[in-house]
Amino acid sequence: MGALGRVAWALLLLLQLAGASHVVLESLEAEAATAAVPPSIVNPLLRTGYHFQPRKNWINAMTEKKIENIDLTVSSENSPLYYKGWYHLFYQYNPKGAVWGNIVWAHSVSRDLINWMALKPAIEPSIASDKYGCWSGSATMMADGTPAIMYTGVNRPDVNYQVQNVAYPRNKSDPLLRDWDKPGHNPIIVPKAGINATQFRDPTTAWRAGGQWRLLIGSLAGSTHGVAYVYKSRDFKKWTRVQQPLHSAATGMWECPDFYPVEAAGRRKGLDTSVSGPKVKYVLKNSLDLRRYDYYTVGTYDRKAERYVPDDPAGDERHLRYDYGNFYASKTFYDPAKRRRILWGWANESDTSADDVAKGWAGIQQAIPRTVWLDPSGKQLLQWPIEEVEALRGKSVTLKDKVIKPGQHVELTGLQTAQADVEVSFEVGSLAGAERLDPALAGDAQRLCGARGADVEGGVGPFGLWVLASADGHERTAVFFRVFRPASGGGGDKPVVLMCTDPTKSSLNPNMYQPTFAGFVDTDISDGKISLRTLIDRSVVESFGAGGKTCILSRVYPSLAIGKNARLYVFNGGKADVKVSRLTAWQMKKPLMNGA
Ligand code: DQQ
């Protein structure tokens, strides 16, 4: 590789670490395409099996050759849709290069959200107002049952000047919605004076009230404030901006806003985006461009004033997250078939860009779809993998009433665990020995987990799972809980529960990005009980603590714990006994088609 090549790779790596997905580097792409591809240190067997993942060359014949041996940049940020018995997944996709750019809406369909069939892209640049990119957006069901897609188009080559377009299915009787037309009245929303035209994107699913549609567009006001502008329309053609934004906070740019009603009573039943009433609360989620994570608040929506107010006045500082790991630009959609709201986010690779190019498969993959609903406390959401994933459960092993002594670990044998679904209920005999929380770390789960990782002995915990572990113990990813007594001088007596994923030992391969991920779990553990579910899929570890109160998705790339060599243990690194009341691990089958 020449000097230019080395500079290109260094820049690509920097871009990946900085998450700078909006920088289009044509010259780098050209260089990347011609440079010698370095050998990958990531084993192809780490490609996921039951998560949705497009394979290189899966797309239509026209682009087939060009995408050979290069990374496909995809994200789930385009809202899914249910139509005539089919779930439609649209996602941001780069058919041409190893860096972000040339964005189109790729399209896959499924009957069950698990088995996916790839179709040709739904929306590609073809008109003046999307010539330089078809960015994220959302689908809305019109009153007559026709879906409409609103998406951001980039219409200038020099800067990312953003406008909003609409597209409709060409043939409404086609349940696969293979062809989409862009009417001549596009673009339908353009940034007027006072709006930052290069930070104006990602229209939400529209909702309807009083004969008018409304939707949000994410933006940046001034240099500091994330903002969600409200636009109104009677006919889905002519849109006018409501003077006041729906909401705004000093967080930096808001990408991919999502705004939806949830049942205030905390039942699992989902609500259509247009539902309102006294028994309804609202969720506003934004994706933070600066920090590359999604945070949300729960609050009330005043339809007359077009204002949203979070219940927790500090909600915009607290940053409750759907997921404390690798999960961004998520979207929800209402599934009328099963009356539930489903959340989907993307998780990018955390190896290097050079590795992605060398291994030739997707840079970004999909999390398992999650049903999302309000916790009965009203303070946060709960998430749980959609029930359909359980159809992939195969052979299983169960452990019952097994006490794990301090320092002990117990292996689950008799099944392959490189792809598994594990559900476990723990019971701690006594919380008396819990460590006192360091006040300096009390508000920062991530730093706390960094300081008190999986191998640091505690009072109560760390206890949990070692997944994707090698027989010699050199490789393992720990998913665990640790219980603290609250820091003195605040917080009452309630024990503080930390949930972590610690991948620092996940791979002997050098140069892996292996951050610990962590979140607090707002649960009452006074009875000593807490549950964990972890979905393992070769290089994905996706965990749900306390029935989905705290979730963490992590990407790991073992060098030894691959395929049949991957092991699963339950461990206790604390000083107190921990009982596994029940643990069941299922080996997961491969879907017939997972997008590839
Ligand atoms: N990615 C899209 C944008 C969105 C961002 C472009 C989120 O529309 O804001 O590919 O990662």
Side-chain angles (χ1 to χ4, degrees):
M1 191 189 314
L4 184 54
R6 278 195 295 278
V7 173
W9 289 122
L11 266 168
L12 288 176
L13 181 59
L14 275 177
L15 287 173
Q16 171 174 307
L17 292 177
S21 69
H22 296 122
V23 187
V24 189
L25 296 172
E26 299 284 358
S27 54
L28 279 188
E29 280 180 31
E31 172 71 12
T34 51
V37 171
S40 174
I41 55 171
V42 172
N43 190 313
L45 283 178
L46 292 174
R47 201 185 138 81
T48 62
Y50 63 89
H51 284 72
F52 173 87
Q53 181 177 10
R55 189 171 65 196
K56 62 177 181 180
N57 300 341
W58 71 270
I59 211 166
N60 63 19
M62 206 175 66
T63 49
E64 195 164 84
K65 281 247 151 32
K66 289 191 195 150
I67 60 175
E68 207 163 354
N69 280 329
I70 52 171
D71 158 277
L72 308 177
T73 300
V74 298
S75 84
S76 68
E77 59 204 33
N78 304 326
S79 139
L81 153 76
Y82 181 81
Y83 189 67
K84 294 189 192 289
W86 289 85
Y87 294 98
H88 292 251
L89 172 65
F90 304 100
Y91 56 95
Q92 298 271 285
Y93 172 70
N94 178 1
K96 289 187 185 163
V99 292
W100 178 91
N102 318 299
I103 292 296
V104 305
W105 280 47
H107 185 191
S108 286
V109 290
S110 170
R111 298 291 253 179
D112 59 5
L113 292 163
I114 296 294
N115 291 285
W116 290 95
M117 184 170 81
L119 301 177
K120 66 177 181 179
I123 300 180
E124 296 178 288
S126 66
I127 54 176
S129 55
D130 70 11
K131 190 165 177 206
Y132 300 96
C134 296
W135 289 11
S136 195
S138 303
T140 300
M141 227 20 124
M142 303 288 94
D144 68 355
T146 311
I149 282 177
M150 286 283 290
Y151 68 99
T152 299
V154 178
N155 66 357
R156 279 170 54 170
D158 49 344
V159 286
N160 286 326
Y161 189 90
Q162 294 150 29
V163 297
Q164 320 307 324
N165 298 307
V166 70
Y168 295 101
R170 186 171 305 157
N171 176 6
K172 285 192 259 173
S173 62
D174 173 14
L176 300 186
L177 298 172
R178 275 170 279 218
D179 298 297
W180 290 79
D181 287 333
K182 302 167 187 172
H185 53 262
N186 277 310
I188 53 174
I189 301 177
V190 296
K192 297 223 168 114
I195 287 186
N196 183 338
T198 61
Q199 307 283 355
F200 181 63
R201 56 183 175 269
D202 310 339
T204 60
T205 295
W207 66 97
R208 200 170 164 80
Q212 293 218 58
W213 289 104
R214 292 151 174 84
L215 57 73
L216 301 179
I217 296 176
S219 191
L220 176 71
S223 56
T224 53
H225 275 65
V227 59
Y229 292 121
V230 184
Y231 282 79
K232 278 188 180 186
S233 173
R234 290 201 179 277
D235 56 7
F236 232 78
K237 277 187 194 160
K238 187 173 175 301
W239 292 84
T240 45
R241 181 161 75 88
V242 176
Q243 202 52 35
Q244 284 260 39
L246 182 88
H247 192 55
S248 152
T251 56
M253 166 73 190
W254 283 355
E255 298 192 308
C256 301
D258 197 17
F259 186 55
Y260 56 91
V262 284
E263 274 215 355
R267 290 190 298 157
R268 268 197 195 213
K269 193 174 128 247
L271 299 175
D272 177 84
T273 312
S274 292
V275 167
S276 67
K279 295 184 176 158
V280 168
K281 301 292 297 184
Y282 283 81
V283 175
L284 176 64
K285 182 281 299 184
N286 290 298
S287 302
L288 296 183
D289 197 17
L290 284 178
R291 302 174 73 175
R292 291 274 136 178
Y293 65 68
D294 287 2
Y295 89 97
Y296 70 88
T297 51
V298 178
T300 51
Y301 166 45
D302 178 343
R303 283 183 177 231
K304 284 216 176 81
E306 300 293 358
R307 298 283 285 166
Y308 165 80
V309 181
D311 289 349
D312 176 358
D316 286 303
E317 284 95 61
R318 276 185 61 213
H319 288 189
L320 265 181
R321 289 167 56 175
Y322 284 146
D323 193 294
Y324 292 85
N326 188 338
F327 190 92
Y328 189 65
S330 62
K331 285 269 180 188
T332 63
F333 77 107
Y334 176 63
D335 171 10
K338 292 204 171 177
R339 306 216 303 169
R340 58 189 169 171
R341 186 159 283 272
I342 295 179
L343 165 69
W344 211 327
W346 61 259
N348 62 348
E349 302 288 332
S350 52
D351 58 350
T352 63
S353 294
D355 254 326
D356 290 346
V357 172
K359 70 186 192 269
W361 41 267
I364 294 168
Q365 301 172 323
Q366 313 291 332
I368 288 291
R370 305 172 181 180
T371 307
V372 60
W373 71 102
L374 190 65
D375 181 72
S377 71
K379 288 195 288 185
Q380 68 161 101
L381 296 170
L382 295 173
Q383 299 162 61
W384 200 244
I386 50 159
E387 61 189 15
E388 286 86 339
V389 80
E390 292 167 29
L392 297 175
R393 287 171 167 178
K395 188 175 179 186
S396 68
V397 292
T398 296
L399 204 61
K400 266 172 90 181
D401 293 330
K402 170 82 185 162
V403 175
I404 318 288
K405 292 281 182 199
Q408 206 188 2
H409 54 272
V410 173
E411 186 178 355
L412 279 304
T413 53
L415 78 171
Q416 285 188 41
T417 59
Q419 291 172 294
D421 183 354
V422 189
E423 286 203 63
V424 48
S425 304
F426 293 103
E427 196 169 338
V428 182
S430 164
L431 298 174
E435 306 153 82
R436 176 75 74 190
L437 189 55
D438 175 352
L441 299 172
D444 192 335
Q446 188 91 31
R447 278 182 60 220
L448 186 57
C449 180
R452 315 285 294 155
D455 296 321
V456 180
E457 187 190 50
V460 178
F463 62 87
L465 301 172
W466 287 338
V467 306
L468 298 174
S470 60
D472 60 8
H474 286 135
E475 284 187 345
R476 61 186 188 228
T477 296
V479 184
F480 64 90
F481 298 112
R482 190 187 274 273
V483 184
F484 295 89
R485 280 181 292 148
S488 43
D493 297 332
K494 193 175 163 200
V496 175
V497 182
L498 179 74
M499 175 174 161
C500 296
T501 296
D502 179 350
T504 49
K505 285 195 169 163
S506 61
S507 182
L508 295 182
N509 276 338
N511 303 326
M512 292 293 165
Y513 174 58
Q514 296 172 325
T516 35
F517 290 128
F520 292 109
V521 192
D522 188 3
T523 188
D524 178 5
I525 199 175
S526 52
D527 61 0
K529 293 183 183 167
I530 192 158
S531 68
L532 176 67
R533 178 168 181 194
T534 297
L535 297 169
I536 307 158
D537 192 4
R538 294 178 174 160
S539 56
V540 175
V541 179
E542 199 171 347
S543 303
F544 302 81
K549 286 203 154 183
T550 301
C551 308
I552 303 177
L553 189 153
S554 191
R555 301 298 316 278
V556 293
Y557 307 91
S559 64
L560 306 171
I562 294 175
K564 289 184 181 146
N565 298 323
R567 289 159 189 255
L568 171 69
Y569 299 85
V570 54
F571 81 99
N572 179 8
K575 294 196 184 97
D577 285 1
V578 174
K579 185 166 85 180
V580 171
S581 314
R582 186 182 183 92
L583 182 156
T584 305
W586 292 265
Q587 194 169 300
M588 294 299 265
K589 294 179 270 189
K590 204 174 157 18
L592 297 175
M593 306 174 284
N594 75 333

